[in-house]
Amino acid sequence: SLDSGEESTSLAFKDQEEVFRKKYLDPGKCENCGGKMILKKGKFGSFWACENYPKCKTTKPLLLKEKCPECGSPLVERRGKWGKTFIGCSNYPKCRYIRKESGNKSK
């Protein structure tokens, strides 16, 4: 039935949110309204958003738990001009540190 399909999709997304919370920095509470930050998917990838949307439109990027070796800011996963993923500093353009992702080779 349609109901069970929606339920399994939401359960899979909740499992994915747990994986994201292990890999990325916990966004904490919304700084504007104090609501919980939940994982959302958009056309440019996943991000944290306030659960009180549309009253509160606060969003945060997915910041890796790893810190930049040059400035100490959290690192982020980015996609380059040709679709290749790389790790960059969240303090861009002040810090221009980047590291290429090793798992992108396709033969």
Side-chain angles (χ1 to χ4, degrees):
S1 81
L2 185 61
D3 292 336
S4 65
E6 289 175 12
E7 196 173 301
S8 66
T9 303
S10 66
L11 285 174
F13 197 68
K14 285 186 189 276
D15 290 343
Q16 185 181 14
E17 186 170 344
E18 287 180 28
V19 170
F20 272 74
R21 287 191 186 275
K22 289 177 185 171
K23 184 176 180 183
Y24 299 99
L25 285 175
D26 191 312
K29 299 274 183 193
C30 175
E31 61 257 359
N32 291 335
C33 71
K36 182 182 173 191
M37 298 298 281
I38 56 175
L39 187 65
K40 295 280 188 170
K41 282 189 173 183
K43 97 182 199 186
F44 298 110
S46 297
F47 60 95
W48 297 111
C50 182
E51 69 179 350
N52 295 323
Y53 179 86
K55 291 180 186 174
C56 179
K57 293 181 169 45
T58 303
T59 61
K60 292 182 180 181
L62 294 174
L63 300 173
L64 293 168
K65 289 187 176 180
E66 196 176 343
K67 300 281 183 188
C68 174
E70 293 181 11
C71 73
S73 296
L75 296 176
V76 293
E77 289 180 335
R78 305 219 170 175
R79 194 168 299 130
K81 189 175 179 179
W82 308 110
K84 299 229 182 213
T85 303
F86 66 94
I87 305 292
C89 182
S90 62
N91 200 17
Y92 178 85
K94 290 180 182 175
C95 177
R96 295 185 173 264
Y97 174 80
I98 63 166
R99 182 179 75 220
K100 292 181 181 173
E101 263 307 279
S102 56
N104 273 348
K105 297 177 182 175
S106 57
K107 292 186 176 185

